[in-house]
Structures are given as structure tokens and as C-alpha cells.
């Protein structure tokens, strides 16, 4: 299954930066509790499980002392804590610690690649006063899950692998049809090259071979588009450009197929025995032209609408 790429994540983070910061800061307030210092207790482990269900995008939390040394293990919100993992690591040079130590306010970093799973994440930190002295609470957030949470997309993403499996089966079916058409074109070519073939037979067999090959090209291109757009690539349904790209590629594949078939019908209609096909070929070519004009209008209006929407978002953020 493809996952959302880093460029899309960074762009969406930039668009929702203010909402992300407010959400993380509100969660930091809830985590700023001294009871997390006692991570060995059953109550704290149950609380971590509950928080993991509420905030599935929060990977883990841990605590630093005044010198930036990690004084707790990594507390994973799934409820599992490994006693020796993370504790004792020097994090005094990390940007979130330096900012929290100098300014004493909530700090939310820009996206960066996690060393644990190579996924884009954020880190947030805040200063705490406890009975044992000053501590810094640090929270790691999975950026992809956070954006899904903000946009209400979590349920759809859980079902996405099943959707991709269906699209993969459809693409395989289209490739099978393309292979069958290529075999049919091959049989026509073999029949055309037989020594006993007559001149009229050669012309019809050659046209039939071309028709089969062009149909195979169109079907293969449609299967390739389905496989790339719906299975291999991640499509951001919240961005108009992603939907516009998919529609453009599908319509483009259909447009090529219609244009080629119109040309073949026109060539076939040029034969003395098939002149009645000329009018149908002309209408098919006009349909292809209309389809091309409609696609151009759709792409232009879609680009203008997205430009207005992005401009409005920037104005709201500023």
C-alpha cells in the first residue's frame, strides 16, 4: 500500500500550521501531570492506553531533566513501555529542549524524519514544575496520523488497503483484456502473411490488426492509469489538484482511444465498400474534439478555483 509522500505532508502541515499548534498545545496541558513520573504503576499504564485511544497520532512521551538528559523511558501510548529504551539519552542539543529551556513556553517543532521509523513527525515540549524539581515533558506526534485526525479521515484510511486491492484486481483485468487483444492482433497478422492470402484479405486483416492493437493500447493505458493513481500513488482527496490529475489522465486515455478509432474508421471508410463509415468517423472525431475542449475548460476552471481557495487560506492564516 502506498503512503502519503513527504512533500504532501509538509505542504498540508504548512496549510494547517495554526490548527496543529493549537491542538498540540491543548494536549500538552493534559499530559502535564506529575503522575506520569511514576510510569511503573498500573494506573499510569492504563492512563497511557486510554490516551492512546483518544489521540492515536501521539506516538510517545518522555521527560527530560534540567540538563536535557532523558530521565524516563519512552512511554508509548499503546501501553507498552520498555524500561531501558531512551532513558539516559542526552537531548540537551535538541531544538525543542533549547527553545523550551530558554523561553519557558510550549514549543512545537517543524516536521522532521523520525530516526525510529523514518516517518515525518513533530515534537512538542513544555516546562513542568514538580516536587522533584524542574522537568521538561516531550511529546512525539506522527504527522500523517495527526492530519488524518484533524480532517476526520482516520476511518477512510483504515479501509484504504481494501479499496486499493479492488483497484489492483480491476487493473489486472484490464491488462488481461489488453493481452487478449494483442493475441488477436497477432493472429490477424499471421493470417495476413500466409502465402494464400488475397489482396482484399490483406487490407482487411491489416486494418483488423491495427484496430486490435490500438484497442489494446487504450485498454493497457487505462489499466496503467488505474494502477498508478489508485494503488501505487497516494491521492490526497482533500486537494483538488489530485482529483483533477486523476480525471485528466482517465479522460486523456479515453480521448486517445476515441481519436485513434475515429482515424481507423475514416481509413476503413475510404474503401469503396465501406463508404457509409465516413459519416460515423467524422462524428466520432467531432466527439473527440468536444471531449478535448471540455477537458481544457475543466482543467482551467479547476486551477482557478484552487488558486482562489489557497489565497483565501493564506489570508485567514495571516
Amino acid at each position: 500500500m502506498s503512503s502519503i509522500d513527504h512533500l504532501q505532508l509538509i505542504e498540508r502541515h504548512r496549510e494547517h500550521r495554526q490548527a496543529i499548534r493549537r491542538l498540540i498545545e491543548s494536549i500538552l496541558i493534559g499530559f502535564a501531570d506529575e503522575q506520569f513520573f511514576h510510569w511503573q504503576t498500573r494506573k499510569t499504564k492504563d492512563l497511557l492506553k486510554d490516551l492512546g485511544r483518544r489521540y492515536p497520532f501521539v506516538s510517545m512521551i518522555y521527560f527530560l531533566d534540567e540538563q536535557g538528559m532523558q530521565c524516563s523511558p519512552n512511554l508509548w501510548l499503546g501501553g507498552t513501555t520498555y524500561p531501558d529504551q531512551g532513558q539516559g539519552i542526552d537531548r540537551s542539543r535538541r531544538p525543542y529542549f533549547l527553545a523550551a529551556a530558554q523561553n519557558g513556553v510550549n514549543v512545537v517543532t517543524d516536521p522532521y524524519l523520525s530516526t525510529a521509523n523514518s516517518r515525518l513527525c513533530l515534537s512538542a515540549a513544555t516546562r513542568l514544575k514538580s516536587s522533584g524539581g524542574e522537568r521538561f515533558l516531550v511529546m512525539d506526534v506522527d504527522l500523517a496520523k495527526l492530519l488524518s485526525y484533524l480532517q476526520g479521515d482516520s476511518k477512510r484510511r483504515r479501509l484504504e488497503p481494501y479499496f486499493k486491492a479492488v483497484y489492483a484486481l480491476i487493473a489486472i483485468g484490464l491488462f488481461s483484456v489488453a493481452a487478449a487483444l494483442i493475441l488477436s492482433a497477432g493472429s490477424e497478422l499471421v493470417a495476413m502473411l500466409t502465402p494464400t492470402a488475397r489482396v482484399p484479405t490483406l487490407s482487411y486483416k491489416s486494418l483488423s490488426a491495427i484496430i486490435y492493437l490500438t484497442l489494446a493500447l487504450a485498454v493497457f493505458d487505462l489499466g496503467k492509469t488505474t494502477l498508478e493513481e489508485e494503488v501505487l500513488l497516494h491521492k490526497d482527496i482533500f486537494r483538488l489538484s489530485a482529483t483533477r490529475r486523476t480525471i485528466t489522465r482517465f479522460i486523456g486515455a479515453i480521448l486517445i482511444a476515441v481519436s485513434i478509432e475515429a482515424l481507423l474508421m475514416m481509413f476503413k471508410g475510404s474503401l469503396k465498400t465501406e463508404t457509409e463509415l465516413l459519416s460515423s468517423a467524422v462524428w466520432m472525431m467531432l466527439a473527440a474534439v468536444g471531449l478535448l475542449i471540455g477537458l481544457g475548460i475543466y482543467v482551467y476552471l479547476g486551477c482557478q478555483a484552487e488558486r482562489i481557495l489557497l489565497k483565501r487560506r493564506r489570508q485567514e492564516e495571516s
Side-chain angles (χ1 to χ4, degrees):
M1 184 186 76
S2 63
S3 59
I4 186 169
D5 64 73
H6 294 161
L7 288 177
Q8 289 183 7
L9 279 177
I10 293 173
E11 189 174 354
R12 286 170 61 182
H13 169 265
R14 185 170 59 248
E15 293 175 2
H16 304 285
R17 183 189 296 271
Q18 297 300 326
I20 289 173
R21 183 177 181 84
R22 287 194 293 267
L23 175 61
I24 292 179
E25 287 179 345
S26 67
I27 295 174
L28 276 177
I29 297 173
F31 279 105
D33 196 320
E34 192 173 346
Q35 66 176 312
F36 287 113
F37 292 135
H38 309 288
W39 54 82
Q40 303 92 341
T41 63
R42 181 68 181 177
K43 181 180 179 181
T44 302
K45 292 180 180 180
D46 291 339
L47 180 59
L48 286 172
K49 287 182 179 180
D50 181 60
L51 291 173
R53 287 190 292 268
R54 294 183 184 181
Y55 310 113
F57 50 86
V58 179
S59 303
M60 65 180 179
I61 62 173
Y62 52 88
F63 294 91
L64 307 178
D65 61 18
E66 297 179 12
Q67 286 73 41
M69 298 293 294
Q70 186 169 333
C71 56
S72 75
N74 297 332
L75 305 177
W76 300 90
L77 265 66
T80 302
T81 299
Y82 303 95
D84 299 328
Q85 193 175 65
Q87 193 165 4
I89 295 179
D90 183 6
R91 303 185 186 273
S92 59
R93 297 184 180 275
R94 298 296 175 90
Y96 50 82
F97 171 75
L98 294 174
Q102 292 174 3
N103 303 325
V105 295
N106 296 330
V107 175
V108 180
T109 67
D110 288 328
Y112 67 93
L113 281 175
S114 170
T115 56
N117 53 17
S118 299
R119 294 170 63 90
L120 278 176
C121 67
L122 306 173
S123 287
T126 189
R127 180 182 289 176
L128 301 176
K129 296 290 185 178
S130 66
S131 57
E134 192 173 65
R135 295 287 186 271
F136 294 89
L137 167 66
V138 183
M139 181 174 67
D140 285 351
V141 177
D142 187 300
L143 183 57
K145 291 182 179 180
L146 173 60
L147 289 169
S148 296
Y149 180 88
L150 277 175
Q151 296 176 315
D153 194 34
S154 301
K155 292 182 179 179
R156 186 196 65 85
R157 286 188 63 82
R158 285 198 292 268
L159 293 175
E160 194 174 24
Y162 303 101
F163 298 152
K164 289 182 179 295
V166 173
Y167 278 116
L169 291 175
I170 293 173
I172 291 173
L174 290 172
F175 290 146
S176 301
V177 172
L181 289 170
I182 292 174
L183 290 175
S184 299
S187 65
E188 294 292 331
L189 288 172
V190 171
M192 183 182 67
L193 296 176
T194 55
T196 57
R198 298 180 179 179
V199 174
T201 303
L202 289 174
S203 60
Y204 282 107
K205 292 296 183 182
S206 60
L207 284 174
S208 297
I210 294 174
I211 290 172
Y212 284 132
L213 287 174
T214 52
L215 283 176
L217 173 64
V219 174
F220 182 84
D221 192 42
L222 192 60
K224 176 175 172 289
T225 301
T226 302
L227 187 65
E228 290 176 344
E229 291 290 329
E230 305 296 344
V231 181
L232 301 180
L233 297 176
H234 176 84
K235 184 168 66 175
D236 187 358
I237 64 171
F238 295 98
R239 187 169 296 282
L240 296 177
S241 58
T243 304
R244 187 169 62 249
R245 180 194 67 197
T246 303
I247 293 177
T248 302
R249 292 193 65 185
F250 274 105
I251 297 298
I254 295 173
L255 181 60
I256 291 172
V258 171
S259 301
I260 292 175
E261 291 306 314
L263 285 173
L264 290 174
M265 189 177 293
M266 193 172 294
F267 293 153
K268 193 174 182 180
S270 62
L271 299 175
K272 294 181 180 180
T273 57
E274 303 285 349
T275 54
E276 68 275 4
L277 295 177
L278 285 174
S279 59
S280 298
V282 171
W283 283 112
M284 187 176 292
M285 187 61 71
L286 290 176
V289 173
L291 190 63
L292 182 61
I293 294 173
L295 180 61
I297 295 173
Y298 167 76
V299 172
Y300 174 77
L301 293 178
C303 291
Q304 293 298 318
E306 187 171 17
R307 187 176 302 170
I308 294 172
L309 181 62
L310 292 176
K311 183 178 179 181
R312 185 175 300 174
R313 285 180 179 175
R314 294 192 189 100
Q315 291 175 349
E316 292 175 352
E317 290 180 359
S318 59

